Amino acid sequence: MSNKEDLNIPQPDPAWDYYILWHSLHHIKAKVDETLQIMNHIEKATPEIDQEIRQTLVPASNKLIEIINELPDDC
């Protein structure tokens, strides 16, 4: 978890239907927060920083797309 607010998030019941989804989305959020922290300390973009951002966000993005595609179409 990336900040003090995250430490106060209650853990859901493992029997909850959305338990795995909840954890997956929190992992994705942590990657987005990590990327924002990287960007916070950078004055000018560089190819190296862009690559670091890409390496952090692409897996998170892929997981989010996977989650969206697994949700029922009727929602």
Side-chain angles (χ1 to χ4, degrees):
M1 306 265 168
S2 62
N3 64 38
K4 190 174 180 177
E5 285 181 22
D6 291 336
L7 298 175
N8 295 325
I9 296 173
Q11 294 296 308
D13 180 350
W16 182 36
D17 289 344
Y18 288 118
Y19 181 77
I20 293 173
L21 176 61
W22 185 90
H23 277 284
S24 294
L25 291 173
H26 271 279
H27 179 74
I28 292 165
K29 179 184 177 300
K31 291 300 181 181
V32 170
D33 289 343
E34 179 182 336
T35 303
L36 291 170
Q37 287 301 314
I38 292 167
M39 294 168 62
N40 245 2
H41 304 296
I42 302 301
E43 290 285 328
K44 292 189 175 228
T46 66
E48 294 80 17
I49 296 298
D50 290 348
Q51 182 62 24
E52 184 177 353
I53 290 170
R54 189 174 292 105
Q55 287 174 340
T56 304
L57 290 179
V58 167
S61 173
N62 290 342
K63 183 63 179 175
L64 182 58
I65 291 166
E66 178 185 320
I67 288 168
I68 292 167
N69 289 335
E70 289 178 2
L71 289 171
D73 287 335
D74 61 345
C75 41

